[in-house]
Amino acid sequence: MKVEVICKPNHLADELGIKLINYSASIQLAFQKIESDNVVSSWKDAQTSKILSGGLTRLLEVPSYGCFKDIRTASLHDSEASLTKIWSIGGNSGWYYGNWLWKIRGFMDQLVGGVGMRRGRKNKRDLAAGDALDFWRVLIADRKTKRLLLYAEMKLPGEAWLEFKIEDDILVQTATFRPLGIAGRLYWYAVWPFHGFIFKGMINRIAHTN
């Protein structure tokens, strides 16, 4: 970018008591905050599509009627360890099973103008409502009730949710898809064979923490 301006000396920083830092120092400080997971906000949190223009609240209630669901359960030997894995999912940690397929899906999403997998996650160990998580958006991240609810921001002929919830040492993993017309139904049946081993492998990896 190029902007023509006329610069004049000023003493505003001195008058306000502001200590200025140069470009190199600011870049170094930014990387230090990233390494220490101390980033308050970033471009990853931006709403990159019109999907969430109506706000998050309307998406918190996962629909039941007119939807396809993939529900899986697994017994846990160490609920806290599994919960930590859930809270670390995505980004550099990956999705625990079939990561190459997740990457292919992200690449396909980018080809049609979606966000793909490029956003990763802001914090390595913590999640909060509103955070971007690869091509998902965090709707609920409640460690007290051991529930994580994600909403898909990828380009889809419908709407998709992915939920993890631990109850009485049982992990319940639910993928919900609400199709939009015939295209949505055809999409679900096209990806259903992949769900069979991706979602099964993912819940098994989360449940077995050894």
Side-chain angles (χ1 to χ4, degrees):
M1 295 185 293
K2 182 179 179 181
V3 180
E4 293 185 2
V5 296
I6 298 176
C7 299
K8 296 180 179 179
N10 69 77
H11 304 286
L12 186 60
D14 294 332
E15 292 175 5
L16 297 178
I18 300 174
K19 183 179 179 181
L20 302 179
I21 59 175
N22 59 33
Y23 175 78
S24 298
S26 64
I27 292 296
Q28 184 177 7
L29 180 61
F31 277 108
Q32 288 175 353
K33 287 183 176 292
I34 292 173
E35 288 297 322
S36 61
D37 286 332
N38 195 29
V39 178
V40 177
S41 64
S42 74
W43 65 273
K44 298 175 184 179
D45 297 323
Q47 295 185 2
T48 55
S49 66
K50 295 182 179 179
I51 293 176
L52 302 179
S53 58
L56 298 177
T57 305
R58 66 183 181 85
L59 304 171
L60 295 178
E61 189 70 32
V62 182
S64 298
Y65 298 103
C67 296
F68 296 107
K69 287 183 178 287
D70 184 297
I71 304 174
R72 300 176 187 272
T73 62
S75 299
L76 304 179
H77 300 291
D78 188 338
S79 294
E80 284 303 317
S82 294
L83 186 64
T84 297
K85 292 190 74 171
I86 292 172
W87 247 248
S88 303
I89 203 167
N92 292 332
S93 297
W95 292 82
Y96 302 129
Y97 191 84
N99 280 319
W100 62 278
L101 287 171
W102 288 93
K103 291 179 181 178
I104 289 175
R105 183 63 185 88
F107 176 71
M108 293 172 62
D109 188 51
Q110 283 185 249
L111 290 179
V112 294
V115 296
M117 300 283 280
R118 55 188 170 177
R119 298 186 302 187
R121 51 181 294 157
K122 181 176 67 179
N123 190 294
K124 297 177 183 178
R125 294 174 293 274
D126 195 22
L127 290 172
D131 283 354
L133 180 58
D134 291 332
F135 46 55
W136 300 90
R137 181 71 60 169
V138 179
L139 298 181
I140 297 174
D142 190 339
R143 290 201 69 142
K144 186 176 181 180
T145 60
K146 300 180 180 179
R147 184 189 181 202
L148 177 66
L149 179 63
L150 310 176
Y151 181 80
E153 282 195 279
M154 67 185 89
K155 299 288 187 178
L156 289 171
E159 295 181 291
W161 290 260
L162 180 60
E163 181 179 22
F164 301 92
K165 190 169 185 179
I166 297 176
E167 298 177 321
D168 299 324
D169 292 327
I170 299 294
L171 170 61
V172 181
Q173 174 187 283
T174 306
T176 302
F177 181 69
R178 179 160 60 185
L180 181 61
I182 296 177
R185 288 168 172 78
L186 291 176
Y187 170 82
W188 174 262
Y189 288 117
V191 299
W192 181 78
F194 300 100
H195 287 176
F197 63 91
I198 291 177
F199 288 140
K200 180 181 178 180
M202 183 167 62
I203 193 173
N204 286 338
R205 292 282 176 84
I206 294 173
H208 298 91
T209 56
N210 294 332

